[in-house]
Amino acid sequence: MDIKVLGSGCKKCNELYKRIEEVLDEANVNASLEKVTEFKDILSYGVMKTPGLVVDGAVKVSGRVPSKNEIKKILCL
């Protein structure tokens, strides 16, 4: 599973990254998790509001920080 957090490094972007790390650790899942901070790269996903969550190339969330339960559902954990 390839997971990307899109954002400039703002508080909400960092919170989303942290929540995803926690969900993956709790579920004992090994996945690729990376931050995408370059504006042109973020726009390439069609995301206009950050933070954004991309899973295996598909945008799942944009403009908000989902709860840990919602993240689990998005990742099918």
Side-chain angles (χ1 to χ4, degrees):
M1 184 178 335
D2 182 42
I3 305 168
K4 295 181 182 355
V5 174
L6 312 179
S8 63
C10 67
K11 183 178 178 181
K12 287 183 179 182
C13 301
N14 292 333
E15 179 62 27
L16 176 56
Y17 190 90
K18 180 182 168 192
R19 284 186 189 179
I20 293 169
E21 278 185 320
E22 290 172 358
V23 166
L24 292 174
D25 285 344
E26 290 169 8
N28 199 26
V29 172
N30 187 14
S32 168
L33 176 59
E34 97 179 74
K35 291 181 182 179
V36 177
T37 58
E38 291 294 322
F39 188 65
K40 65 178 178 59
D41 296 332
I42 294 168
L43 286 178
S44 74
Y45 287 98
V47 171
M48 300 302 281
K49 285 187 165 185
T50 59
L53 171 59
V54 176
V55 180
D56 294 331
V59 177
K60 300 295 185 179
V61 176
S62 176
R64 63 185 182 86
V65 179
S67 68
K68 285 174 67 173
N69 283 334
E70 186 177 355
I71 292 169
K72 288 176 186 177
K73 289 178 185 175
I74 290 168
L75 302 180
C76 300
L77 301 178

